[in-house]
Amino acid sequence: MPINDDIEQRYLDFLDRYEGNIRRFCIDVSENPADAREIMQEVFAAVWVGLPGLKGDCHARQANRWLYRVMVSVLVRHLRQRPLYVAMPPAALPDIADD
């Protein structure tokens, strides 16, 4: 299936304008550079998939809102897939007595 050149150009134009915002968001919400890169790639993929649904003539404010919703959705999905680890000091754990 050939890629629609118009969609590809819209994607490249969108990234030219908003890539810095995406990078900043991903770095701010991640715990380490590897997580930031992973979230960033997921955001780029979500933008590619969702961009055809965004009106080409929308205002910058609408595009910002749309992008923010995409980034938050990707972040939530990323956090839900992560296992939860809790660090507790050994003194906080109860003694388990063998009966």
Side-chain angles (χ1 to χ4, degrees):
M1 182 166 103
I3 296 175
N4 186 337
D5 291 339
D6 182 47
I7 297 298
E8 186 175 354
Q9 189 57 50
R10 280 186 64 203
Y11 177 76
L12 294 173
D13 292 343
F14 192 86
L15 286 188
D16 282 345
R17 183 175 183 131
Y18 295 105
E19 183 177 5
N21 295 4
I22 295 169
R23 287 184 184 280
R24 207 167 321 130
F25 176 84
C26 294
I27 290 169
D28 288 347
V29 299
S30 62
E31 296 175 351
N32 57 56
D35 278 349
R37 282 190 300 274
E38 187 174 331
I39 295 167
M40 201 176 324
Q41 289 300 317
E42 291 177 29
V43 170
F44 290 152
V47 167
W48 173 259
V49 169
L51 195 59
L54 183 66
K55 292 182 181 177
D57 61 345
C58 71
H59 295 95
R61 181 177 294 171
Q62 290 170 318
N64 276 325
R65 287 179 184 161
W66 177 81
L67 177 60
Y68 182 75
R69 286 193 308 269
V70 167
M71 291 188 301
V72 169
S73 295
V74 167
L75 176 63
V76 167
R77 187 174 55 239
H78 177 80
L79 292 174
R80 284 183 178 159
Q81 293 172 353
R82 237 176 37 170
L84 179 62
Y85 294 106
V86 178
M88 294 178 63
L93 298 172
D95 287 334
I96 299 175
D98 290 331
D99 290 333

